[in-house]
Amino acid sequence: MKKVICLLTLLVTFSINAQYGSRDSNRIGISGGITQMSLFSDQFNAKPETGWIGGFSLRGNYYNDWQMAFGMNFTESNFSLQSVLDKDINYKMSAVQIYLTGSYMIIENHLTFEIGPVLQINGKLAIDEEDELKLLKDSPLLTAKDITDITKINGNIYAGITAGIKNVRLHVSYQYGVNNFMNNLNKSDELKLLNGNEKFKANYGILSGMITFYL
């Protein structure tokens, strides 16, 4: 995971340096903001929680009223599940996201609509050590720790609106995870047995609001 992040950071850094040196229409953006993560599952009744997101991007003119944006975000998104004692257990998903979006300029330099794919690389879900052995209300034979080893590579669809002035923009976006990000749990026959011989299945949605400063 660390090697992948380092490699991707180097590649994007080289791209930024090259574009900045050419002083063309491409612009470098540095972003930061907050997220709210939701879980869509027939089994787990999750509560959305607040997290953070930040990264950098390259934006440039493509064709007529279209622009392209390429970037990388680092994010820590959260949701919570209840224990059998009705106590919230917070799950934290740390990830790096690489995205490529098409941006339609509704009002040049002020308002765009954006859509595109996102590749997400994440680790296991993180929980507090004191919560690891707590039983889940939605599946009482499973402990909170049992469901942390999720799928590490996920694909998202991104859509959003960007508004502001030339050098400062507000981004409001939504990402939906198209694959079953709990599918990795289905590799364990023991976990499936504890889950009532049912497959684990869940998708996530990440709502985010960011401010981007363009250099």
Side-chain angles (χ1 to χ4, degrees), residues 15-78:
S15 297
I16 289 175
N17 289 335
Q19 295 296 345
Y20 188 79
S22 67
R23 306 300 294 173
D24 59 13
S25 61
N26 288 344
R27 310 187 67 210
I28 305 165
I30 301 174
S31 306
I34 60 174
T35 65
Q36 189 172 64
M37 181 178 179
S38 300
L39 201 66
F40 303 102
S41 172
D42 292 334
Q43 178 182 7
F44 298 105
N45 185 23
K47 182 170 72 174
E49 301 288 354
T50 301
W52 60 266
I53 187 169
F56 46 86
S57 60
L58 287 172
R59 177 181 295 274
N61 296 328
Y62 179 66
Y63 179 76
N64 289 342
D65 292 331
W66 285 92
Q67 294 181 330
M68 296 291 289
F70 167 77
M72 176 187 292
N73 286 327
F74 299 90
T75 179
E76 187 178 276
S77 299
N78 299 273

Side-chain angles (χ1 to χ4, degrees), residues 29 31 53 55-59 68-74 96-101 114 116-120 156 158 171 175 210 212 214:
S31 306
I53 187 169
F56 46 86
S57 60
L58 287 172
R59 177 181 295 274
M68 296 291 289
F70 167 77
M72 176 187 292
N73 286 327
F74 299 90
V96 59
Q97 298 178 337
I98 304 162
Y99 63 89
L100 179 66
T101 62
E114 306 185 343
V118 179
L119 174 65
Q120 177 173 295
N156 308 339
Y158 171 105
H171 300 264
Q175 297 181 44
M210 291 196 295
T212 299
Y214 287 103

Side-chain angles (χ1 to χ4, degrees), residues 82-162:
Q82 283 194 324
S83 71
V84 292
L85 299 178
D86 291 331
K87 300 294 184 181
D88 285 345
I89 301 170
N90 189 76
Y91 287 84
K92 183 181 302 180
M93 182 174 70
S94 299
V96 59
Q97 298 178 337
I98 304 162
Y99 63 89
L100 179 66
T101 62
S103 303
Y104 181 74
M105 292 186 290
I106 301 171
I107 304 175
E108 187 175 2
N109 292 325
H110 297 293
L111 183 64
T112 62
F113 171 74
E114 306 185 343
I115 190 168
V118 179
L119 174 65
Q120 177 173 295
I121 303 170
N122 51 261
K124 294 182 179 181
L125 296 176
I127 58 175
D128 291 338
E129 187 175 354
E130 62 186 25
D131 291 331
E132 290 182 353
L133 299 181
K134 291 181 179 178
L135 297 174
L136 297 175
K137 184 176 182 178
D138 296 323
S139 191
L141 295 180
L142 291 169
T143 67
K145 186 179 181 180
D146 284 337
I147 64 169
T148 56
D149 193 11
I150 56 171
T151 303
K152 306 304 188 299
I153 299 178
N154 296 282
N156 308 339
I157 293 295
Y158 171 105
I161 293 288
T162 299

